[in-house]
């Protein structure tokens, strides 16, 4: 991502898709961790194994060195649940990397 100075650091996103609603919360922290609760019931969505979806989210959090929480709050259709989760993640990331106009590292320690 480059320079971490002058970003919001934290981001939250909520995204609906029809009956599904997801929430994602991101901390650009250099402390990789991921918690997901997607509630997927089917084995596959099309040709995609649903067990790969939380794996992708975990892998992303580790590689990006972020703390990530993604929860599907409601929904019946697994495709809608998964898609709303990724949309919520995109919104949370957009908010977390938003420039504040400052030059400070967004940490009380002065380092991330």
């Amino acid at each position: 991502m480059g320079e971490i100075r002058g970003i919001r650091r934290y981001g939250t996103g909520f995204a609906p898709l029809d009956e599904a609603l997801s929430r994602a919360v991101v901390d650009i922290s250099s402390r990789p961790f991921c918690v997901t609760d997607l509630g997927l019931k089917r084995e596959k969505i099309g040709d995609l194994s649903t067990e790969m979806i939380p794996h992708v989210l975990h892998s992303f959090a580790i590689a990006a060195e972020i703390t990530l929480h993604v929860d599907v709050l409601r929904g019946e259709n697994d495709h809608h649940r998964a898609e709303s989760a990724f949309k919520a993640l995109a919104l949370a990331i957009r908010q977390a990397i938003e420039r504040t106009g400052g030059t400070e590292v967004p940490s009380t320690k002065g380092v991330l």
Side-chain angles (χ1 to χ4, degrees), residues 9-94:
R9 176 179 169 180
Y10 299 101
T12 304
F14 287 86
L17 179 60
D18 296 343
E19 86 294 349
L21 175 64
S22 295
R23 172 187 58 219
V25 182
V26 172
D27 178 7
I28 311 290
S29 62
S30 299
R31 290 188 308 277
F33 197 82
C34 183
V35 177
T36 61
D37 184 4
L38 306 179
L40 301 173
K41 300 171 190 82
R42 293 174 32 198
E43 185 175 322
K44 289 188 169 201
I45 299 172
D47 291 332
L48 175 65
S49 172
T50 54
E51 71 183 2
M52 293 306 296
I53 297 170
H55 174 70
V56 166
L57 295 169
H58 283 92
S59 296
F60 174 71
I62 300 303
E65 296 186 335
I66 63 174
T67 299
L68 172 62
H69 291 257
V70 180
D71 300 289
V72 176
L73 304 174
R74 66 179 55 91
E76 297 299 318
N77 181 303
D78 277 355
H79 173 265
H80 294 171
R81 294 173 72 87
E83 187 173 339
S84 71
F86 280 102
K87 288 179 177 183
L89 174 57
L91 293 169
I93 292 170
R94 182 187 335 176

